[in-house]
Amino acid sequence: MPSHQKTILCLQRPNKEVFTRILVCVLVVFCLQYNAFSQVKKSKPEVETYVPEVFPPDEAIDTNATAHALIIGISQYKNIPEAEDAAEDAILFRNYLIHDRRNPVKEENVSLILDSNATNEKIMEEYNRLSEQCQPGDEFIFYFAGQIDGEIRYKDAFLLAYNCEKNNYKKSDAVSISDLSAYIGAMTANGVHVMVITDGRRSDDLYGGKNGSIYAMTMLGHSFNKATKLLSCSPNEISYVRTYPDAQHGAFTYYLIQGFQGLADKDSDGKVTVGEFASYIYDNVPPETEDKQHPVIEGPQKRALAYVDTSSKRKLLDMQWKGFGSEGPMWLNDSIIDRQSSKVYADFLKYIKKKQFTQPDKYNAYNRYLCVRDSLKNKPLANYLQHVLMNEVEITAQGVLDKFIKGQTYKYSNTQLLNDFKEASSGLNMELKMLDKNYYKYRYIKSATLFFNAYVLYLSGENDQITTQILSLLYANFLTPKSPYIKHALGLFYDKIKNRHNAVLYQKAAIDLAPDWVYPYNELGNVYYHMHQYDKAANYYELALSKDSGYVYAYYNLAAACCLLQKKKQALIWLEKGLKKDYKYWDYIANEDDFADIKHTYRYKWLLKHYKHRNV
């Protein structure tokens, strides 16, 4: 009898009456899903790496394109008013590109020019150097933080360099936007993907005055037509600086980097598109600036601006909501934690640290959240606690999911595995109670919840609810159709009720979505094994081992399949390889009827005795 992992071997066969009812329900479900199944059969799902729906994992970015970046930040000017913290923002953006970006820009391809070094001559020298290195298909990023102004008499606007004069930009140290637009236009015409980012700290004290500022921003909006443009504010506005946990930053640059690091990835597909970034920046910068600053974002809506590094995104969310130590985040307003709330808040943080989200009864983080919300009616603090709790629950559930999809959970004991899935299931069910259905991640959270709920029952061997759970998983599959773990679970459940056709269909769909994941290969082997197609079963067991040579259950299953194919020598070879991997479930081997043809052999008896003795 083939095994997926330890827990699967102990599941019981449903009795005849239950089985009959299950068949009737499945026939109804099958009819309703026929068109969907037909489509899957006709057109296999697009092959891609695993994309979980709560938080996406790291994916390898396979591209030959090279990125170059020219970053300019000028806080201190020689002749005109300073641009507050502009140089610091340029440094922040440069550090993001070479350290925190998913596909980092090589340090030698980044030119950072600050303050007194940022002259027109130096800027254009570095621009020419980097642009000459760009090939068709490459990426060029131009970032400027500093003063921007316009001169209507010249019908031009300027990025003001360090030595610019107070009243004559065209004949002094400034970069003409019309000239720069022409240069960048030549690059885009050559097939280079250009991103222009400006965080202009404009001041009405500049020579152009208010009209010059409006003209400058209007001209920026009409320039660089074939480039993606991320501009900090609209005409007739200025860019504001705000204090954040680490330092002061321009509100636009701060949320630009946070968005690129993953907070703008609303559909959790591992990339931030122009459309997603625009939505994120509009949701954050105007409220941060009392509705005085409205960025301008232009470019193809589906173009990827950044690829998300999962670990960086999680750390970002962790820092955003978990706070620093027992006192919470430094930007949490102390005025909302009154005397009544302080003890509840302290208990909440203690339970969060212990991961007591919903259990034990009364002594958990969710209970403390409800106390703040309903009893103390402290709405600001309740909102904060809700965000902390949701973030922690999602991180915990994603950790379980990551280990599962990476094929690591077979190393766990049955109790440990079941407890991990129960914890994730309980937390996500609690989170759903707090969410509005219009919340942008609701369908992903709902889908993951349905998966964990079903899998807990599967691991527990509760067969009486298997048809109900198939319906739940079908709904989860509808919500997030590119989730391989859901398709794998459907394959397991269909195999359990002996619907082999759908079991094969869904395991193959899981393989198409996650081609390096060992579990679907092994389980597909099990399905063919149950269909007595032992040659196909053996093939998929071998494929499972090609994905993970440490997956001991595939060795055991492959040995059993070889026995039934009358390949006794190969069966003994595979069995020994499995035993060398520290397989400890001797009762399954000793009592396995499929090994009947080799049980009498000396080699079989020696293997069991030798390896059992070694692993006692």
Side-chain angles (χ1 to χ4, degrees):
M1 176 181 178
S3 63
H4 167 61
Q5 54 191 59
K6 310 178 194 59
T7 54
I8 296 176
L9 292 168
C10 66
L11 297 177
Q12 301 298 314
R13 180 178 296 177
N15 61 44
K16 187 174 182 180
E17 182 180 354
V18 172
F19 180 69
T20 303
R21 292 178 181 176
I22 289 171
L23 282 178
V24 172
C25 293
V26 170
L27 285 173
V28 173
V29 173
F30 180 79
C31 290
L32 292 173
Q33 296 294 324
Y34 178 78
N35 289 335
F37 293 155
S38 299
Q39 290 301 318
V40 174
K41 188 174 182 181
K42 291 176 184 176
S43 178
K44 294 171 68 175
E46 180 181 347
V47 177
E48 57 182 64
T49 48
Y50 155 58
V51 184
E53 309 295 353
V54 181
F55 290 97
D58 294 341
E59 299 174 2
I61 303 302
D62 183 17
T63 175
N64 294 319
T66 302
H68 300 81
L70 176 57
I71 304 170
I72 305 152
I74 313 172
S75 295
Q76 302 296 326
Y77 284 87
K78 184 176 181 179
N79 303 308
I80 62 174
E82 70 175 64
E84 188 178 9
D85 297 303
E88 287 75 9
D89 279 0
I91 294 171
L92 185 71
F93 185 67
R94 177 258 186 192
N95 289 341
Y96 158 74
L97 289 181
I98 65 173
H99 295 304
D100 297 332
R101 194 166 117 137
R102 174 66 171 282
N103 46 336
V105 182
K106 292 181 180 179
E107 195 164 355
E108 60 268 26
N109 291 342
V110 177
S111 180
L112 176 67
I113 310 176
L114 303 174
D115 288 340
S116 59
N117 289 323
T119 63
N120 181 19
E121 181 180 2
K122 180 65 175 177
I123 292 170
M124 296 314 301
E125 176 187 335
E126 287 302 293
Y127 174 84
N128 290 331
R129 181 181 70 84
L130 292 172
S131 62
E132 287 174 1
Q133 296 175 8
C134 290
Q135 301 297 318
D138 283 355
E139 179 183 21
F140 181 80
I141 303 168
F142 181 88
Y143 174 95
F144 178 86
Q147 298 281 22
I148 300 176
D149 200 10
E151 279 199 78
I152 298 176
R153 59 176 172 163
Y154 291 123
K155 295 183 179 180
D156 203 352
F158 301 87
L159 307 178
L160 304 187
Y162 174 74
N163 288 316
C164 70
E165 301 293 341
K166 292 181 180 180
N167 56 7
N168 196 336
Y169 304 137
K170 191 172 183 66
K171 295 183 180 180
S172 65
D173 200 27
V175 178
S176 163
I177 290 176
S178 60
D179 289 347
L180 184 62
S181 180
Y183 300 149
I184 286 177
M187 291 179 69
T188 58
N190 195 37
V192 177
H193 301 292
V194 180
M195 187 190 312
V196 176
I197 306 171
T198 63
D199 195 345
R201 311 287 211 274
R202 298 183 297 106
S203 169
D204 289 343
D205 294 333
L206 296 174
Y207 175 69
K210 188 173 183 179
N211 290 333
S213 296
I214 295 172
Y215 188 81
M217 288 308 298
T218 301
M219 189 164 184
L220 276 175
H222 289 115
S223 303
F224 317 110
N225 291 331
K226 293 186 178 180
T228 299
K229 293 183 288 188
L230 314 178
L231 312 179
S232 62
C233 61
S234 301
N236 204 26
E237 295 179 346
I238 62 174
S239 298
Y240 288 86
V241 174
R242 291 289 182 263
T243 301
Y244 296 99
D246 59 335
Q248 286 198 148
H249 299 291
F252 177 73
T253 292
Y254 178 78
Y255 285 108
L256 167 84
I257 294 172
Q258 294 239 320
F260 278 14
Q261 286 180 320
L263 295 190
D265 181 20
K266 286 194 173 184
D267 62 2
S268 294
D269 66 348
K271 62 185 177 183
V272 175
T273 64
V274 172
E276 287 177 318
F277 178 74
S279 177
Y280 174 77
I281 213 76
Y282 297 151
D283 286 344
N284 285 279
V285 173
E288 188 83 350
T289 59
E290 299 175 350
D291 209 35
K292 295 178 181 178
Q293 181 178 340
H294 299 81
V296 176
I297 313 298
E298 294 182 6
Q301 293 294 290
K302 293 184 179 181
R303 185 192 170 192
L305 296 176
Y307 291 90
V308 178
D309 183 285
T310 305
S311 59
S312 296
K313 180 178 179 179
R314 289 182 191 165
K315 288 177 183 177
L316 192 62
L317 288 167
D318 198 36
M319 293 297 291
Q320 184 175 3
W321 297 117
K322 282 177 70 175
F324 302 88
S326 60
E327 297 180 358
M330 63 179 69
W331 65 93
L332 179 62
N333 191 337
D334 291 339
S335 65
I336 71 173
I337 307 179
D338 54 29
R339 183 176 298 179
Q340 285 182 308
S341 304
S342 59
K343 177 62 169 64
V344 179
Y345 178 55
D347 287 343
F348 174 86
L349 292 176
K350 178 177 68 176
Y351 297 142
I352 284 289
K353 187 175 182 180
K354 293 181 178 181
K355 294 190 178 297
Q356 295 176 204
F357 303 139
T358 61
Q359 296 294 331
D361 189 34
K362 294 184 180 180
Y363 300 99
N364 59 71
Y366 184 59
N367 177 275
R368 298 294 82 193
Y369 157 73
L370 292 177
C371 179
V372 171
R373 189 193 69 179
D374 301 334
S375 300
L376 302 181
K377 299 188 183 301
N378 187 336
K379 186 175 180 180
L381 182 58
N383 288 340
Y384 168 72
L385 299 188
Q386 178 183 352
H387 282 291
V388 173
L389 187 52
M390 287 169 54
N391 181 53
E392 288 294 329
V393 165
E394 290 178 16
I395 288 175
T396 299
Q398 188 64 57
V400 176
L401 200 56
D402 284 348
K403 291 175 183 176
F404 181 70
I405 201 72
K406 290 176 182 177
Q408 298 173 350
T409 52
Y410 73 86
K411 302 173 184 178
Y412 294 1
S413 68
N414 180 58
T415 301
Q416 181 184 1
L417 183 65
L418 185 58
N419 286 341
D420 284 353
F421 272 75
K422 281 183 175 179
E423 181 180 45
S425 174
S426 175
L428 290 172
N429 277 291
M430 174 271 296
E431 183 176 3
L432 281 180
K433 296 177 183 178
M434 298 191 293
L435 291 180
D436 183 275
K437 289 186 178 181
N438 293 322
Y439 179 57
Y440 74 91
K441 281 201 300 185
Y442 181 85
R443 64 190 178 101
Y444 302 113
I445 303 299
K446 178 71 173 178
S447 175
T449 304
L450 293 171
F451 164 76
F452 278 109
N453 291 347
Y455 219 82
V456 164
L457 293 175
Y458 183 78
L459 295 174
S460 302
E462 298 183 20
N463 295 317
D464 56 332
Q465 298 186 45
I466 196 166
T467 305
T468 302
Q469 295 310 314
I470 286 176
L471 293 173
S472 295
L473 287 169
L474 286 170
Y475 181 51
N477 188 55
F478 166 76
L479 291 173
T480 56
K482 291 187 177 181
S483 299
Y485 51 91
I486 292 173
K487 297 187 189 300
H488 172 62
L490 276 165
L492 290 174
F493 276 67
Y494 276 122
D495 188 40
K496 192 62 188 171
I497 62 173
K498 300 185 179 180
N499 185 332
R500 313 299 188 201
H501 170 76
N502 283 343
V504 169
L505 179 73
Y506 279 106
Q507 294 299 349
K508 286 186 175 180
I511 288 172
D512 285 338
L513 289 169
D516 294 323
W517 187 21
V518 64
Y519 290 172
Y521 290 98
N522 183 71
E523 188 54 37
L524 192 52
N526 289 349
V527 176
Y528 284 120
Y529 194 102
H530 298 149
M531 297 167 69
H532 307 296
Q533 297 182 29
Y534 302 120
D535 52 345
K536 286 187 178 181
N539 180 54
Y540 277 101
Y541 293 142
E542 289 193 60
L543 284 172
L545 291 173
S546 73
K547 304 302 176 182
D548 183 357
S549 61
Y551 190 67
V552 294
Y553 306 103
Y555 289 106
Y556 164 78
N557 294 338
L558 184 52
C562 286
C563 265
L564 294 170
L565 289 168
Q566 300 300 308
K567 297 179 180 179
K568 299 177 184 179
K569 185 176 180 180
Q570 290 93 323
L572 287 167
I573 291 172
W574 288 116
L575 182 59
E576 182 172 8
K577 287 183 177 181
L579 293 174
K580 284 181 178 179
K581 297 293 182 180
D582 197 24
Y583 187 88
K584 297 180 180 179
Y585 293 85
W586 308 103
D587 52 336
Y588 296 137
I589 297 175
N591 298 316
E592 179 56 75
D593 292 336
D594 292 341
F595 288 146
D597 287 346
I598 60 173
K599 281 185 177 180
H600 65 281
T601 65
Y602 171 80
R603 186 64 178 171
Y604 176 85
K605 295 175 182 179
W606 183 89
L607 287 174
L608 261 62
K609 181 179 179 180
H610 178 71
Y611 284 102
K612 186 173 184 179
H613 174 73
R614 284 183 53 179
N615 291 286
V616 169

